[in-house]
Amino acid sequence: MASTSDDKKTEDRNDVERASEDVVSLEKGDILQLEHTDPVLNAKMHLVNNAIDEIGFTRYQWKLFVLNGFGYAVDSLILLIQSIVAGQAALEFNPSYLRGLTIAAYVGMLVGALFWGLTADIIGRKIAFNSSLLICSIFAIVAGASPNWIVLGLFVCLSAFGAGGNLVLDTAVFLEYLPSKDQWLLTLMAAWWGIGQLVAGFFAWAFIPNFSCNDPALVEDADPCTYSNNKGWRYVWFASGSLVFVMSLLRITIIRLKETPKFLIGEGKDEQCVSTLLSIAQKYNRPCSLTLEAMQACGTINSGRRSSVSHAKSKWSLAEIWVHLEGLYATKRIGISTTFIWVSWTLIGLAYPLYNVFLPSYLQSRGASFGQTSAYITWRNYTLVNMCGIFGPVLAGYMCATPLGRKYTMVIGALVTMAFFFAYTQVRSESQNLGFTCTINFCLNIYYGTLYAYTPEVLPSAHRGTGNGIAIGWNRVMGILSAVIATVADTTTPVPIYICAALYIVMAGIAAIFPFEPYGKRSS
């Protein structure tokens, strides 16, 4: 009897060793390779990556590309809408601090990024994915009915809270279903960011010139701005909120998202993970050789003092947060990578809003200096500039799929953007003003779109939401600071432009020394 028991143990040990040998042969194509501190989690992640590669790209991923892209679009839409309406709303409400809406939006997005990022790692991607846009849409619609500046700021903040989690969730969900050869699509998905900007521009172009009061500082004998003669900014909020509401319904009804396989691994739910992948393979008639037995042969995820490397013994404790923070510094290389990513997000968090969020101010002030005072032309130009932003990530996606990889795509994008920022300070005509702003918006989205994709690609799956959420959180903190800097520096002068150019030089240098290059490799 004892001999039979010993034989059984030997057989089980041989199965594990064979599974481990298979895993070693698969490590060659993975970004983190042996960076994981739990070999069992590492082994299971390789098997899942193999299964996703075997299934390939299906209509399910195309649906995710569109529906996750909605989140990108909404983030930029809400951020720019507040800057578009701020001027007209201020004429009606006469606030003591004109940059209040910008700060409200960034505070909401800061809290949203941290909240949704942590919950994505604690309770999963699915709940946040299905609810964040709905929350955003409700408060965006209500913002249009605001009776005063403070209430408007509150609803802008709450709407931004819902939108703020999308950049965390959308990249994680899409990446965790993507075959490795198609990971460049994560960069291309940032084109949706430009689409959101374009929609914001169209709404502004349609409503602001036609349904707004005149600024008494610019037009003599202008009537006082009241609710009845200044509804344009309210229409912009109503239209934006309604569009986001439709997007949130489409997310719930079209995709019927299942929890991502890589999150389920960290939860120890091997059976659900295998079931999810097999159901996709069966639905789209694709092969999938992953079995529950192969997953279980890798062993059990357990590190003693925790329930696993992915969670503390209690999910609803401070220890859970610490587990995810510690996981982002599990090894020296991962720690360096995490730090560089957060610094990059901090820098772009200052550079981007100093340009894009205050772009209406630049266009208006420079247009006025060239003799262009038409609100219609100003918002037409704004729409054209935002349209150009769509195509930066398209080029970036192509570059990322070449040996340039993610790192040098960011380097090139940042340096070219820096050059055009410096050149923009020498603009001397209205046509040059429009041409340079279009070019800058195109180029800066090469860097920004690639950074969006690079961040989740190199973060450990079990801590991806937390790492991404903190990165975007630093971005939002600097967005708040940008409102203060813009007030002091004055956005009608070239000073903020010089600041942006200098920041892009630093970002290019950091991108060049990132420790990981995802090109040709697979994410965890």
Side-chain angles (χ1 to χ4, degrees), residues 302-322:
N302 195 325
S303 61
R305 63 189 178 88
R306 303 171 181 167
S307 63
S308 71
V309 295
S310 306
H311 297 291
K313 290 189 175 180
S314 172
K315 281 189 177 185
W316 311 108
S317 66
L318 291 176
E320 174 73 8
I321 298 174
W322 178 252

Side-chain angles (χ1 to χ4, degrees), residues 66-237:
V66 174
L67 297 176
N68 287 38
F70 286 170
Y72 268 78
V74 168
D75 187 279
S76 64
L77 175 68
I78 296 300
L79 188 58
L80 294 191
I81 287 298
Q82 65 79 21
S83 70
I84 287 169
V85 307
Q88 288 302 133
L91 292 176
E92 183 177 335
F93 296 137
N94 298 309
S96 58
Y97 188 64
L98 292 175
R99 305 293 184 194
L101 291 191
T102 300
I103 292 177
Y106 274 105
V107 167
M109 288 189 166
L110 167 62
V111 177
L114 296 175
F115 176 81
W116 296 113
L118 280 170
T119 54
D121 284 340
I122 296 172
I123 62 174
R125 284 55 159 147
K126 180 179 178 180
I127 295 175
F129 179 84
N130 287 334
S131 59
S132 57
L133 281 190
L134 184 61
I135 293 171
C136 175
S137 66
I138 292 171
F139 288 111
I141 293 172
V142 175
S146 300
N148 57 56
W149 186 256
I150 294 175
V151 173
L152 175 59
L154 173 63
F155 288 138
V156 167
C157 183
L158 292 172
S159 179
F161 168 76
N166 282 286
L167 296 184
V168 181
L169 269 299
D170 295 328
T171 51
V173 170
F174 189 47
L175 176 63
E176 291 181 8
Y177 277 106
L178 264 183
S180 57
K181 66 181 180 62
D182 299 307
Q183 281 180 196
W184 64 272
L185 286 171
L186 202 62
T187 301
L188 179 62
M189 196 168 73
W192 283 96
W193 175 271
I195 293 173
Q197 291 178 318
L198 179 62
V199 171
F202 274 131
F203 284 158
W205 190 11
F207 296 120
I208 299 295
N210 299 317
F211 302 98
S212 298
C213 61
N214 293 316
D215 186 348
L218 300 177
V219 179
E220 293 184 10
D221 302 322
D223 294 330
C225 288
T226 63
Y227 174 85
S228 59
N229 69 355
N230 193 36
K231 292 183 178 179
W233 69 267
R234 297 180 185 273
Y235 293 155
V236 170
W237 275 117

